[in-house]
Amino acid sequence: MSTTSVPPIIRTHDNVFWFDAAREGRLLIQRCADCGTLRHPPGPVCPSCRSFEWDTLESSRRGTLHSFTVIHHPQDPAFTYPLAVGLIDLEEGTRLVADIEGVDPEDLRLGMDLEVVFGAHAHDETLPRLRPLGGDR
Ligand code: ZN
């Protein structure tokens, strides 16, 4: 059986603020300083007005499950399988992709309430994960 390896996360001038906040357990959303449009993943230019000016908004870390998939293969030693990966609609209006934990994949339902928590990941990074809202930590 072959295994894959998790590629390193590339920190750039445009996303370092996001990874630094994640390490502190905070989920930041990039916001255009000119028109207020929220965007994720982080990028240098506002897709609405082309402004390069931005600041951040701290997310409530709550949202609802928009879509998900359950991965069985290929398997990487850094994860446990079956691995559920979800797309969450955050309360603020942006979306985020992350692994889902704390719930059997058979029990996942679109629209269910989830929260974002943070945990250690490969390459000494801290990344978001999704859990049922109010679930055990
Ligand atoms: Zn803008």
Side-chain angles (χ1 to χ4, degrees), residues 32-37 39 46-51 53:
C32 176
D34 286 318
C35 77
T37 297
R39 63 183 188 258
C46 174
S48 295
C49 76
R50 309 290 186 226
S51 171
E53 303 301 317

Side-chain angles (χ1 to χ4, degrees), residues 39-110:
R39 63 183 188 258
H40 183 82
V45 181
C46 174
S48 295
C49 76
R50 309 290 186 226
S51 171
F52 285 89
E53 303 301 317
W54 57 271
D55 60 10
T56 59
L57 172 74
E58 183 162 350
S59 169
S60 68
R61 297 184 294 106
R62 292 189 300 266
T64 56
L65 185 60
H66 180 86
S67 182
F68 68 94
T69 188
V70 180
I71 300 169
H72 297 271
H73 297 282
Q75 295 193 351
D76 185 289
F79 300 92
T80 56
Y81 294 86
L83 174 64
V85 178
L87 177 65
I88 185 175
D89 286 319
L90 292 168
E91 286 182 336
E92 291 79 13
T94 57
R95 291 178 175 161
L96 178 76
V97 174
D99 300 350
I100 304 173
E101 63 182 25
V103 59
D104 189 311
E106 297 286 323
D107 295 330
L108 290 171
R109 297 291 179 267
L110 298 183

Side-chain angles (χ1 to χ4, degrees), residues 3-52:
T3 59
T4 60
S5 61
V6 178
I9 292 171
I10 306 299
R11 286 173 176 259
T12 69
H13 173 77
D14 296 316
N15 68 24
V16 67
F17 77 93
W18 193 89
F19 288 105
D20 286 348
R23 194 161 286 191
E24 299 169 355
R26 300 186 305 132
L27 179 60
L28 295 184
I29 301 171
Q30 197 174 30
R31 174 176 52 200
C32 176
D34 286 318
C35 77
T37 297
L38 300 177
R39 63 183 188 258
H40 183 82
V45 181
C46 174
S48 295
C49 76
R50 309 290 186 226
S51 171
F52 285 89

